[in-house]
Amino acid sequence: MEATRTFFWNVGDVRIAIYILAIIPIAFIVYGIYKRYLLWKQGAEDNRTSHLPLRILSFIKNGLLQKRIFQEAYPGIMHGLIFFGFGILFIGTTLIALQEDVTLPLFHWEYLKGTFYLYYSLILDIFGILAIVGTLMALYRRLVLKPERLDRRWDDNLVLYLLLVILVTGFLVEGFRIHANELPAHPEWSRWSPIGLALASVFKGITINPKISLNLHRFFWWLHIIAAFTFLAIIPYTKLIHIFTGSIDTFLRPDPPTGRLVPIDIENSETFGVEKYSEFTWKHLFDLDACVRCGRCQDVCPAHLSGKPLSPKKFIQDLRAGLPQGLKDEAETTPLVGTIIDEEVLWACTTCRACEEACPLFIEHVPKNIELRRYQVLVQTRFPSELRTTFRNLERYKNPWGVPKSQRDEWTQGLDVPIFSADISEKGYLLWIGCACSVDENNIKTAIAMVKLLKAAGVPFGILGKQEGCCGEPARRLGNEYVFQLEAEQNIELFNELGVKRIITLCPHGYHVFKNEYPDFGGHFEVYHYTEIIQEIMDQLPLYTAPTSQPVTYHDPCYLGRYNGIYEAPRKVIQKAGGTLSEMAHHRERSLCCGGGGGHIWMEEQMGQRISHLRIEEAVLCSCPIVLTACPHCMTMLTDGAKERELSDKIEVVDIAQWLESRVKRD
């Protein structure tokens, strides 16, 4: 006789009753999801069907295989055990339903038998016990470890208890079935259900009467069904909704390039940015239901870590909590900033994207923040008072510091720096100096160093001199889209007029907008960060450096690393130049922001600790005399942080270009 079992054994002919009962949780699911769908529909259009291969791959890697979940060991393993455990159990249950209701009655085909059935039983037992381990890990984490980032909500614990009831009753049902039916008749089959066999052996050892086993089997079978149906019914009304929304969000991930902001149609839009829910895109509203409150974003947010009122998790959850339950006309009455989101929270964000990098579901925190800023700046003219000077300087002087354009190229005196021309455009580069490296004394050294390096390597290049303005990135991240677009259009017109094809930037912020955001306005250029060019120079050209090894640490700028994925070029330059690199605790994708992004270099930190203090203190722990960086904003913030913390005698902040140029052998 082939190994198999009679499904619905000992509970009678209840199949029809089960399917009638199943209508209840299905109705709860359909109604709950439909209600959320009506809310998502309130949002504006947002095309999330482009780059289809990327989206499918993301869904497979992150939705099905949970790749980003495993970035953290304990919660990753915990969630993985629950996810894959229940996933396999769901497949197992589906195979039963298909056989009993489709293949057997229609085609007289029974596949859950013989060797396949035995392996089927073993696999379900293994993944069932793994799911129990994962659930117990989750309960231990919530009830004993109690990490600060997790909410203390009763329904979260209820979900875990319910999962445990489903799993434990499933094994109890199996144990009583084996004890009363399989052990007496086919004990060799029971070895393929090791957990059920262990329970059956316990029941046999304590001499439970077989008749009692039958009654207990029926009791736990119905308890298992009721728990499972309850679990299904509450999905749309608890964090379990992420079973649908979270997985889908891995498909709806942002289009490349990373961190690109969607332009405003300044001429034709009736309003700018987001005042109320209906002005968010449907994807931004969908994100609110995908968030599982895991708190990974909060743990890496520099604003939160330094005591500011911003928590990316709370930012998303506050938006979700305030989302009206009615339709669009009800949402129109809700101004978000000042009622749902405090102004202090809005302006605490440095746009570093640490939250988005940590989020396993690709929730977009920064674009929502920028959209709210846009409305505050362009419509309400409400923003931190110190930004009035910044915006005025950008409009009047084309730089945030207010330095006249006539002084833009004073740093070039005595250097014989070529001005970009048609002769250079064919094979050479436009060296975009940027505002900070043109007017800030400390960062001017970077511009001078880069000029010397390019000359030493024989690379054709030119600068714009007095013609250079601002790239517009500070205005855009601060919400002033109008000023950004003016700057972008003027720069693109000038670049095209001069025949610019290739651009080297000293600042990652300029690099990002030139490469990833200017194409939206017709500006298509080859854009390089200077570390990429230096790496190429060192690989291909006779540029010799001093061989003396020097211990250094390196700070990854957010807009170079998380925004544009440039991690290797700076490190290879450091290595080839004789630097012995000691990494900080937070590096590469998990680098801690300097505190200057999102326009914060021109804003006062009035609450909590300065973010730059956190970062420079972390750098000191590496016991290196030098911290290198590749961004003028980071250079300024970390240098100031070292001075303010009285650490300048322990560590010096130096740009890579300056450091490398000082190690070039002179003839």
Side-chain angles (χ1 to χ4, degrees):
M1 181 178 178
E2 285 190 294
T4 187
R5 80 171 189 255
T6 302
F7 298 99
F8 296 102
W9 172 82
N10 189 46
V11 293
D13 189 8
V14 297
R15 188 173 309 171
I16 294 176
I18 290 297
Y19 287 126
I20 291 174
L21 284 175
I23 294 173
I24 298 173
I26 292 172
F28 271 87
I29 291 174
V30 171
Y31 177 75
I33 296 294
Y34 180 68
K35 288 287 286 184
R36 302 313 295 180
Y37 167 74
L38 292 178
L39 296 177
W40 304 331
K41 273 185 62 179
Q42 296 176 19
E45 292 183 6
D46 191 347
N47 179 17
R48 295 293 170 136
T49 58
S50 59
H51 303 91
L52 199 56
L54 172 68
R55 296 185 184 282
I56 294 172
L57 182 62
S58 175
F59 176 74
I60 293 171
K61 286 168 51 179
N62 301 297
L64 298 181
L65 300 180
Q66 306 278 285
K67 180 176 181 289
R68 282 170 73 102
I69 291 286
F70 289 105
Q71 289 178 344
E72 292 187 10
Y74 188 102
I77 293 170
M78 172 197 80
H79 190 276
L81 292 175
I82 296 172
F83 177 84
F84 291 112
F86 266 90
I88 295 298
L89 293 175
F90 175 77
I91 292 172
T93 303
T94 303
L95 287 175
I96 293 174
L98 285 174
Q99 174 181 283
E100 296 300 300
D101 299 317
V102 180
T103 66
L104 197 55
L106 297 181
F107 308 106
H108 307 291
W109 178 37
E110 182 183 5
Y111 50 79
L112 289 176
K113 62 180 182 178
T115 302
F116 178 78
Y117 168 75
L118 294 177
Y119 279 105
Y120 164 89
S121 300
L122 177 62
I123 290 171
L124 292 193
D125 262 34
I126 291 172
F127 280 90
I129 199 66
L130 290 177
I132 287 179
V133 171
T135 306
L136 291 174
M137 288 176 67
L139 283 168
Y140 178 77
R141 185 164 176 257
R142 283 193 166 275
L143 302 178
V144 180
L145 298 179
K146 298 180 180 179
E148 184 262 341
R149 75 189 196 189
L150 291 184
D151 297 333
R152 306 288 182 262
R153 287 178 45 167
W154 67 270
D155 55 323
D156 291 342
N157 291 345
L158 173 65
V159 165
L160 293 175
Y161 291 134
L162 196 54
L163 292 178
L164 204 56
V165 169
I166 294 170
L167 293 164
V168 171
T169 55
F171 278 122
L172 286 172
V173 167
E174 181 182 62
F176 284 117
R177 176 184 60 79
I178 291 174
H179 175 244
N181 178 259
E182 205 164 273
L183 274 181
H186 301 286
E188 69 279 9
W189 297 354
S190 61
R191 291 195 295 269
W192 293 83
S193 303
I195 308 303
L197 175 60
L199 289 171
S201 300
V202 171
F203 303 151
K204 183 178 180 181
I206 60 178
T207 64
I208 293 180
N209 187 292
K211 188 174 290 186
I212 295 176
S213 277
L214 293 176
N215 291 332
L216 289 173
H217 173 271
R218 274 192 296 271
F219 171 77
F220 284 114
W221 191 91
W222 279 107
L223 182 58
H224 179 75
I225 292 295
I226 292 169
F229 283 0
T230 302
F231 176 86
L232 293 173
I234 68 173
I235 284 175
Y237 312 99
T238 65
K239 68 188 303 180
L240 289 172
I241 195 174
H242 83 279
I243 294 172
F244 299 121
T245 55
S247 299
I248 294 171
D249 232 15
T250 64
F251 176 85
L252 299 174
R253 62 177 296 169
D255 285 332
T258 299
R260 168 187 165 268
L261 294 179
V262 177
I264 294 176
D265 185 348
I266 297 290
E267 292 185 1
N268 299 310
S269 295
E270 295 181 3
T271 186
F272 308 120
V274 167
E275 177 195 14
K276 39 192 177 283
Y277 282 105
S278 60
E279 292 166 347
F280 275 127
T281 70
W282 67 263
K283 169 56 168 61
H284 286 161
L285 297 179
F286 187 85
D287 276 350
L288 307 184
D289 279 321
C291 176
V292 293
R293 297 180 279 108
C294 68
R296 295 188 185 204
C297 56
Q298 178 177 294
D299 269 4
V300 298
C301 174
H304 180 79
L305 293 173
S306 60
K308 310 295 189 297
L310 171 64
S311 158
K313 180 190 77 171
K314 191 172 184 299
F315 175 75
I316 296 295
Q317 287 303 308
D318 285 348
L319 286 172
R320 186 183 191 278
L323 191 61
Q325 295 304 306
L327 298 180
K328 193 167 185 176
D329 56 342
E330 187 176 349
E332 294 289 333
T333 65
T334 308
L336 297 175
V337 177
T339 56
I340 307 298
I341 303 297
D342 290 339
E343 290 186 25
E344 292 81 3
V345 169
L346 181 69
W347 293 103
C349 178
T350 64
T351 70
C352 70
R353 286 198 67 256
C355 52
E356 295 181 11
E357 187 69 37
C359 179
L361 303 178
F362 297 95
I363 289 169
E364 299 164 61
H365 308 74
V366 175
K368 295 176 183 60
N369 180 287
I370 298 298
E371 289 296 342
L372 293 171
R373 287 186 182 186
R374 283 172 167 176
Y375 182 80
Q376 293 298 299
V377 171
L378 297 174
V379 179
Q380 295 289 317
T381 62
R382 290 178 62 89
F383 43 80
S385 58
E386 59 267 32
L387 294 181
R388 295 189 183 280
T389 301
T390 304
F391 291 148
R392 184 171 60 249
N393 288 339
L394 283 168
E395 292 189 65
R396 184 177 299 175
Y397 300 108
K398 306 299 181 184
N399 69 81
W401 282 274
V403 175
K405 291 195 73 171
S406 60
Q407 301 175 23
R408 184 94 184 192
D409 61 350
E410 285 186 353
W411 63 273
T412 64
Q413 293 179 7
L415 291 176
D416 189 26
V417 183
I419 298 298
F420 191 86
S421 64
D423 294 338
I424 297 173
S425 68
E426 284 304 313
K427 295 184 179 180
Y429 300 86
L430 167 64
L431 178 60
W432 179 269
I433 305 302
C435 299
C437 292
S438 296
V439 303
D440 177 72
E441 182 178 350
N442 205 23
N443 284 299
I444 283 174
K445 298 174 185 176
T446 300
I448 293 173
M450 191 62 193
V451 166
K452 291 180 178 179
L453 289 170
L454 292 175
K455 281 188 169 184
V459 177
F461 74 97
I463 67 171
L464 294 179
K466 292 182 176 62
Q467 286 184 291
E468 186 181 275
C470 182
C471 66
E473 190 274 343
R476 187 166 226 199
R477 264 58 196 181
L478 286 169
N480 199 332
E481 181 75 2
Y482 173 75
V483 170
F484 164 74
Q485 291 194 19
L486 282 179
E487 298 286 358
E489 289 165 2
Q490 290 171 7
N491 287 332
I492 291 168
E493 183 180 355
L494 178 61
F495 293 169
N496 289 336
E497 183 181 312
L498 295 173
V500 173
K501 297 178 180 178
R502 291 167 291 275
I503 304 172
I504 302 172
T505 71
L506 302 181
C507 176
H509 296 259
Y511 172 85
H512 177 71
V513 292
F514 287 153
K515 185 179 180 68
N516 300 321
E517 297 182 349
Y518 271 38
D520 288 328
F521 303 92
H524 299 276
F525 313 99
E526 294 179 32
V527 186
Y528 304 90
H529 185 258
Y530 80 82
T531 55
E532 297 177 292
I533 298 299
I534 289 179
Q535 181 191 352
E536 188 176 319
I537 289 171
M538 297 179 77
D539 286 344
Q540 300 178 10
L541 298 175
L543 181 65
Y544 300 101
T545 60
T548 308
S549 177
Q550 186 175 36
V552 298
T553 188
Y554 172 65
H555 165 77
D556 286 281
C558 303
Y559 276 74
L560 192 61
R562 276 189 291 269
Y563 273 79
N564 289 285
I566 299 178
Y567 298 107
E568 294 304 324
R571 286 170 171 80
K572 289 181 178 179
V573 169
I574 292 169
Q575 181 184 10
K576 287 180 178 292
T580 302
L581 182 62
S582 176
E583 297 281 15
M584 286 186 252
H586 295 89
H587 61 280
R588 292 184 180 265
E589 292 88 350
R590 298 185 68 84
S591 177
L592 184 63
C593 179
C594 72
H600 273 255
I601 195 170
W602 297 283
M603 297 166 62
E604 289 296 326
E605 288 187 70
Q606 297 175 344
M607 290 178 284
Q609 187 178 1
R610 290 185 181 273
I611 296 171
S612 59
H613 293 180
L614 292 179
R615 188 54 166 167
I616 201 66
E617 287 166 2
E618 186 175 50
V620 169
L621 295 177
C622 292
S623 301
C624 297
I626 292 176
V627 54
L628 296 174
T629 189
C631 171
H633 291 187
C634 299
M635 181 82 170
T636 298
M637 298 300 290
L638 296 180
T639 300
D640 290 347
K643 290 177 182 177
E644 290 159 0
R645 297 298 292 164
E646 298 181 352
L647 295 171
S648 299
D649 59 332
K650 293 184 179 180
I651 197 163
E652 180 185 8
V653 183
V654 183
D655 190 275
I656 286 179
Q658 298 179 36
W659 177 77
L660 177 63
E661 198 278 328
S662 70
R663 297 172 70 78
V664 172
K665 286 185 176 181
R666 307 304 198 278
D667 293 333

